[in-house]
Amino acid sequence: MQHLAFLLVPGFSAIAFFSALEPLRIANRLADQQLYRWTIHAPKGDHAVASSGMQLRCDGPLPDRSDVLVVCAGFDPLSQVSPALLGRLRRGWRSGCELGAIDTGAFVLAEAGVLGGEIITLHWEASAEFRRRYAHIPVSARLYERHARLFTCAGGTSAMDMMLDGIALRHGAALASAVSDQLIHERIRPAHAPQRASIADQLADCGPALQRLIAAMEQAVTR
C-alpha cells in the first residue's frame, strides 16, 4: 500500500486535486484491496480552501513520513508557504520521500530547493513567471513529467492522466485502463501530449495552406 499526503495550498485547483485523487479511489475499488491510502493537509489550520471557495477538512499536520508528498496549488502559490513548511519538504526529500507537484505546486517545490536537476512542468499560464523566477530550472510544455522520485503536472485533467500513468507503472496497464473507463476517460494521454491545442488546430477552418504555414511557424518557435 502506498500512502500519499496531499498538501493543498490555499487557492488550489479543485478539479486538479480531484482528478488526482479519484483514480486512486477507483483503483482500490476495482482491485478489491487498498492499493493506496491518502491524507489531506493544509499549510495552516484544519481546512483547505480551493480557488472556488470550497473548503475541505484536513487530516492535521503533515505526517513525519509518507511514501509520496504531493503539493497541489493554484493562484498565488507562495502566499501562505512558511519557511517551516519548506523545511519540511526538504527533509522529506532528503529522507527518500517521492515528491509531486500539481498545477503551480512546482513553485513551492522550487522555493524548497528540491528542483533544478530534472525537467518539470506546470500550468501553461504560470510557465513564464516560473521561468523568470527560477531560470535555472528546466521547464517543458508537456502534460506531466515523471522521474525517479519527482513528478509534476500541468494541473486540470492532466492530473488524471498522470495518476493513471502511475497506476499503470505500479499495478499494470489493465488496471489503469479499467480505472480510465470508470472515469469516462476514453484514453490515457501520454506525458508528451501538449497542454493546449495548437494554433493550427484552433484555426481549422482557415484552409490547408495557412494551416501548414502556422504549423511551420510554431515548430520554429519551439525549437
Side-chain angles (χ1 to χ4, degrees):
M1 181 178 63
Q2 188 179 46
H3 173 207
L4 294 91
F6 287 92
L7 176 66
L8 305 184
V9 178
F12 72 94
S13 165
I15 190 171
F17 169 60
F18 287 114
S19 291
L21 182 64
E22 284 297 284
L24 307 180
R25 177 189 66 80
I26 295 171
N28 285 350
R29 182 172 70 83
L30 295 183
D32 197 26
Q33 59 179 301
Q34 195 170 23
L35 303 176
Y36 302 96
R37 76 177 184 93
W38 51 86
T39 51
I40 301 172
H41 311 274
K44 300 176 183 177
D46 61 356
H47 286 79
V49 183
S51 58
S52 63
M54 179 184 65
Q55 297 185 20
L56 293 180
R57 185 178 296 278
C58 295
D59 298 309
L62 280 171
D64 291 332
R65 175 70 184 176
S66 62
D67 300 312
V68 185
L69 201 166
V70 187
V71 182
C72 184
F75 298 114
D76 202 10
L78 299 177
S79 61
Q80 298 190 50
V81 174
S82 67
L85 179 59
L86 298 177
R88 170 68 185 82
L89 294 174
R90 284 191 292 270
R91 289 193 298 275
W93 180 252
R94 289 196 296 266
S95 70
C97 179
E98 187 175 349
L99 293 184
I102 295 173
D103 202 329
T104 61
F107 279 85
V108 181
L109 296 188
E111 283 293 305
V114 300
L115 300 184
E118 296 164 317
I119 193 167
I120 63 98
T121 193
L122 72 163
H123 195 285
W124 62 266
E125 192 174 30
S127 180
E129 172 61 18
F130 187 94
R131 292 172 189 270
R132 184 195 66 78
R133 186 171 185 133
Y134 311 106
H136 66 289
I137 299 175
V139 178
S140 82
R142 288 158 49 114
L143 281 186
Y144 54 94
E145 296 283 354
R146 186 184 298 281
H147 306 286
R149 286 202 299 122
L150 176 70
F151 58 88
T152 54
C153 79
T157 57
S158 75
M160 184 182 299
D161 297 285
M162 181 178 68
M163 287 302 189
L164 289 167
D165 177 71
I167 291 169
L169 289 173
R170 289 182 64 87
H171 303 290
L175 178 59
S177 179
V179 173
S180 183
D181 286 343
Q182 288 288 317
L183 290 162
I184 319 298
H185 193 57
E186 81 282 2
R187 68 183 182 93
I188 302 173
R189 292 177 293 176
H192 64 261
Q195 294 185 24
R196 308 174 72 189
S198 69
I199 297 174
D201 289 339
Q202 295 176 47
L203 302 176
D205 297 329
C206 67
L210 183 55
Q211 287 184 52
R212 288 194 296 272
L213 176 61
I214 292 170
M217 293 170 65
E218 284 188 300
Q219 290 177 9
V221 169
T222 56
R223 283 174 186 166

